[in-house]
Amino acid sequence: MLLFLEQLLNGLQFGVTLLLMASGLTLIFGIMNLINLAHGSLFMVGAYVGATAIAHGSGFFLGLLAGIAAAALTGMAMELLIMRRLYRRDHLDQVLATFGLILFFNEMVSIIWGRQPVAMNTPDFLSGTVEFIPGAPYPAFRLAVIVTGIVVTGLLYFLVMKTRIGMWIRAGASNREMIGALGVNISLLYTVLFGFGAALAGLAGVMAAPFSAVQSGMGENILILTFVVIVIGGIGSIRGAVAGALLIGLTDTLGRVYIPDLMRLWLPPSVADGTGASLASMLIYILMAVVLAFRPRGLFQTHG
């Protein structure tokens, strides 16, 4: 039971990391109707800048702010220089353009930081454990990631659903021309929105850096999972992003822990480990197929 509770928290932490990515991407993909394959590159930029700032003695919080700011500024520059020309273009054009940006950013970070991975250690004040479940000490940094994700998601939901800016965002998604005719600078609004989504990706990158190597191309794998989250939850839905991220995080984590053990009940251990690992990696895509079979527009449909 203690192992299950610990893995449940690990799944929640992974789901929250995906949620930070999915929240920004669902704004860009769902509300702005823009397919941005380079969103994972913003995650990478945040991780690199945050890790570098912390390594040079800036402290964790300054490094976190540096990573968020770098991703936000990079995202806004992308929107101004490239994305703005793609809003009225076909999705295929958007895919090709943003795929080119992935290649550009991967080579750029290789030129600046080199091919070797950059390490980022857990901050000292969060390097211990917290025993809020008796007999199961849990890493404080992972718990901080969970709390950060919950707080940021709550603030995002309040911004989109309860504020005037959120009203403009939702109205712009429905009828861009009409909200522009009413005096709202929709181009500026979209630039700020894109930058905000990029900032969330940068936050996710810095928070995930201690768990994985900061290296060129690190954004591609999490980008695939992020799109799965959005498809399961429903394109453009913040509630859907929350539900999809938690489902994927828990399914992936628990599957990788328990499926190999289940396979050992029927197969030799040497075969069971390989088969179980393969099935565990497929599990999230099986989940997506099942959800789409019954809810073709996702769990929380927002369009059509």
Side-chain angles (χ1 to χ4, degrees):
M1 180 56 69
L2 291 178
L3 174 63
F4 174 75
L5 292 175
E6 183 178 355
Q7 295 305 320
L8 204 64
L9 288 172
N10 286 339
L12 182 60
Q13 177 262 313
F14 182 45
V16 164
T17 303
L18 290 175
L19 177 58
L20 291 174
M21 284 286 289
S23 297
L25 191 57
T26 198
L27 291 175
I28 297 169
F29 186 23
I31 295 177
M32 299 169 67
N33 195 30
L34 175 72
I35 298 178
N36 179 24
L37 296 185
H39 197 70
S41 298
L42 300 171
F43 172 87
M44 178 178 65
V45 168
Y48 263 107
V49 173
T52 302
I54 293 170
H56 285 79
S58 297
F60 177 74
F61 288 111
L62 287 178
L64 180 64
L65 291 176
I68 293 172
L73 292 174
T74 302
M76 294 174 75
M78 283 171 53
E79 198 278 339
L80 286 169
L81 298 174
I82 299 170
M83 303 303 183
R84 187 167 290 186
R85 294 163 175 77
L86 298 174
Y87 290 135
R88 301 182 186 277
R89 302 284 290 272
D90 185 79
H91 284 322
L92 179 59
D93 293 338
Q94 298 171 359
V95 167
L96 293 174
T98 53
F99 180 74
L101 285 174
I102 292 176
L103 302 178
F104 170 80
F105 280 112
N106 286 345
E107 290 303 316
M108 182 61 68
V109 298
S110 297
I111 293 171
I112 296 174
W113 282 280
R115 297 286 181 181
Q116 294 298 319
V118 176
M120 176 177 162
N121 297 323
T122 303
D124 293 337
F125 66 95
L126 291 173
S127 60
T129 58
V130 178
E131 192 171 337
F132 64 96
I133 299 176
Y138 194 72
F141 186 77
R142 287 183 179 269
L143 193 62
V145 172
I146 295 173
V147 173
T148 300
I150 293 173
V151 171
V152 170
T153 303
L155 292 175
L156 176 63
Y157 184 82
F158 178 80
L159 173 69
V160 173
M161 303 304 297
K162 303 295 183 181
T163 66
R164 181 176 294 273
I165 294 176
M167 180 183 67
W168 291 344
I169 291 171
R170 287 180 282 117
S174 300
N175 195 322
R176 179 182 175 126
E177 289 76 15
M178 180 59 72
I179 192 173
L182 293 174
V184 177
N185 188 338
I186 192 67
S187 296
L188 177 61
L189 179 65
Y190 274 20
T191 301
V192 173
L193 180 61
F194 200 97
F196 183 70
L200 292 177
L203 172 61
V206 179
M207 299 301 284
F211 307 128
S212 60
V214 179
Q215 59 187 347
S216 177
M218 65 179 293
E220 276 78 27
N221 290 334
I222 196 168
L223 177 71
I224 294 171
L225 296 177
T226 303
F227 273 113
V228 173
V229 166
I230 292 174
V231 170
I232 287 177
I235 296 173
S237 171
I238 301 297
R239 290 183 302 165
V242 174
L246 294 181
L247 275 174
I248 292 300
L250 292 171
T251 300
D252 184 72
T253 302
L254 295 177
R256 292 181 187 278
V257 173
Y258 289 109
I259 287 182
D261 291 339
L262 290 175
M263 290 295 101
R264 290 192 187 100
L265 297 176
W266 300 285
L267 299 172
S270 59
V271 179
D273 290 341
T275 304
S278 299
L279 287 175
S281 63
M282 294 166 53
L283 200 57
I284 57 173
Y285 304 105
I286 295 173
L287 174 63
M288 180 177 68
V290 171
V291 170
L292 293 181
F294 295 96
R295 302 279 294 183
R297 294 184 180 271
L299 295 175
F300 295 89
Q301 179 177 325
T302 57
H303 301 295

